[in-house]
Amino acid sequence: KESACLVDQPIVLDNRPIARGLVTVPGGRTPAAEVAVRATLYTESTAISGELRALPIEPAEAITGVDGTFELPLEAGIWRFEYTPGDSLPLSSRLVTIKGVDEKTGLKLTTQFLNPVELSWGRTVTGTVTSLGQVVKYTQLRFFRVTSVEGRPASILLGTTIGDERGRYQLVLPMARAAPDAGP
């Protein structure tokens, strides 16, 4: 019998663009250290290869440094970034487009600088989950903000929690921001 063994077959890896970002505490002047940053592929870009991958891309994770910065190597596409600070600040989410190619030059990008993210002050939301007048135990709740991405409806995760044995839940969500033209 012959064995179909591949010997010394090179594996060539493509360099991914590095997404570099900055996270600040509410107010935007102070860097936010030790914030967990998780990027999950939302929509894959087919601009480079023209076809979708057969296997899913795993989420990428980083922790901000003392200067509030982070770096993640990411494939081209639309990514959902989740910023999870400690303390009593809520999760922040953004949809970010990572480009593989410079639109002007057509050259492959090595680095993409992201817009700075300012964390929000939090507000505590509490309640009880019921169905047909009965308490529902250990229910997972996910809160979203509805928006649009490239003209299509989309949702941005604001927070998640699990109710207790009495159906009660408590979660810190971002405070609503005032409109830029709002008065004092």
Side-chain angles (χ1 to χ4, degrees):
K1 275 184 161 176
E2 276 189 43
S3 153
C5 181
L6 299 176
V7 179
D8 293 330
Q9 293 296 316
I11 297 174
V12 180
L13 300 177
D14 233 1
N15 288 334
R16 299 180 197 166
I18 302 294
R20 291 189 174 154
L22 169 67
V23 181
T24 63
V25 298
R29 291 186 176 90
T30 306
E34 297 184 12
V35 173
V37 180
R38 180 180 174 102
T40 306
L41 187 63
Y42 185 78
T43 303
E44 189 169 348
S45 172
T46 57
I48 296 174
S49 65
E51 58 188 56
L52 293 174
R53 295 179 180 273
L55 297 174
I57 296 175
E58 296 294 321
E61 298 177 339
I63 302 290
T64 59
V66 294
D67 61 353
T69 63
F70 67 92
E71 293 184 356
L72 290 170
L74 300 172
E75 301 283 342
I78 299 174
W79 290 79
R80 184 181 73 232
F81 278 73
E82 294 175 1
Y83 304 90
T84 308
D87 302 324
S88 60
L89 298 177
L91 169 103
S92 290
S93 292
R94 304 284 187 279
L95 290 178
V96 176
T97 301
I98 301 298
K99 299 173 182 174
V101 177
D102 185 306
E103 295 169 354
K104 294 178 184 175
T105 65
L107 297 175
K108 193 167 185 174
L109 290 173
T110 58
T111 304
Q112 182 171 332
F113 294 94
L114 307 178
N115 290 330
V117 171
E118 179 185 337
L119 298 174
S120 299
W121 292 112
R123 60 187 163 113
T124 301
V125 176
T126 60
T128 304
V129 180
T130 61
S131 176
L132 302 172
Q134 299 293 315
V135 169
V136 181
K137 300 177 181 181
Y138 309 113
T139 303
Q140 181 180 15
L141 298 139
R142 294 170 57 94
F143 293 80
F144 294 89
R145 176 173 47 94
V146 178
T147 186
S148 67
V149 174
E150 297 181 353
R152 294 185 308 214
S155 55
I156 304 292
L157 181 67
L158 295 177
T160 184
T161 190
I162 296 177
D164 64 14
E165 69 279 354
R166 295 184 192 151
R168 296 178 303 190
Y169 67 88
Q170 180 173 322
L171 177 67
V172 178
L173 294 176
M175 292 186 81
R177 293 182 190 237
D181 56 286

